[in-house]
Amino acid sequence: MQNEKMIQALNEQVNKELYSAYFYLAMQAYFSSINLDGFANFFRVQVQEERDHALGFFNYLNKIGGKVTFPEIQKPQSEFSSPQEVFELTLKHEQFVTQSIYSLMDIAREVKDHTTDIFLQWFITEQAEEEENMSRVLNRLKLIKGDGAGLFMIDSELAQRLYVPAVIPG
């Protein structure tokens, strides 16, 4: 028998991951609208990764016999003033997701759900990578201080990012 507190928290995480995909889709649209196709590509890949994360939690809930629920997904911000603002918001959001996953781990340990504890380890490692990636781009944007040539160099680099489907254990 699964712990209801754990099941509810896992369902909330599915929603947070789907919101993340929605939020990053808005960012992709912003960058497409200002012809920064490399930045748009970066967020296109990010959208796909967030959907993978949501499906990982969804599949895990099904595997352990938990009832999957579908709360409404909040509308994301869709107006941005600059690439730097986007990455400041992105880093803040990834830090929020990291804390959410830490809370899931706390619940798993509290209720002695060792299987979920092991499942969540992959996401904790993934979040460290997500925060590092967002910080790296944000720091570069701060370094160039809005310089067009620097912005296009970062755009060119981000255009090289490829989607690699996640292999989420569980």
Side-chain angles (χ1 to χ4, degrees):
M1 184 120 189
Q2 292 300 317
N3 180 283
E4 280 306 309
K5 182 177 181 181
M6 187 84 258
I7 298 298
Q8 179 181 347
L10 289 166
N11 269 297
E12 289 169 5
Q13 192 64 37
V14 172
N15 184 271
K16 289 172 186 172
E17 299 292 344
L18 289 172
Y19 171 79
S20 296
Y22 205 27
F23 191 32
Y24 295 153
L25 192 61
M27 292 172 176
Q28 179 186 349
Y30 164 73
F31 283 115
S32 290
S33 76
I34 61 171
N35 298 313
L36 288 174
D37 297 332
F39 282 90
N41 175 68
F42 179 90
F43 282 100
R44 181 187 59 77
V45 171
Q46 201 62 35
V47 167
Q48 291 170 305
E49 287 185 1
E50 300 304 334
R51 285 191 324 230
D52 286 350
H53 299 167
L55 287 172
F57 283 103
F58 173 87
N59 291 336
Y60 181 74
L61 276 162
N62 280 319
K63 177 181 175 180
I64 63 172
K67 181 176 189 230
V68 178
T69 59
F70 297 95
E72 185 174 334
I73 300 170
Q74 177 185 344
K75 180 182 177 183
Q77 176 179 340
S78 59
E79 298 291 326
F80 308 100
S81 62
S82 69
Q84 184 172 324
E85 179 200 16
V86 169
F87 276 88
E88 287 169 349
L89 291 168
T90 301
L91 178 58
K92 183 177 176 186
H93 180 72
E94 288 298 335
Q95 291 167 338
F96 165 77
V97 172
T98 298
Q99 290 306 309
S100 179
I101 292 171
Y102 288 169
S103 294
L104 288 173
M105 181 65 86
D106 291 344
I107 294 168
R109 291 183 174 169
E110 172 191 323
V111 301
K112 297 182 176 17
D113 184 344
H114 303 294
T115 304
T116 300
D117 183 310
I118 292 167
F119 170 72
L120 292 171
Q121 305 261 340
W122 183 91
F123 288 96
I124 289 172
T125 302
E126 174 69 7
Q127 280 309 118
E129 181 183 310
E130 296 282 12
E131 287 187 32
E132 178 186 4
N133 289 339
M134 301 312 166
S135 288
R136 186 172 35 82
V137 177
L138 177 57
N139 288 337
R140 288 180 181 169
L141 288 167
K142 288 178 179 177
L143 186 65
I144 65 166
K145 298 177 181 163
D147 174 68
L151 189 62
F152 284 115
M153 286 179 68
I154 296 169
D155 188 63
S156 179
E157 179 185 331
L158 297 180
Q160 304 307 310
R161 186 176 188 206
L162 299 174
Y163 169 65
V164 178
V167 179
I168 300 172

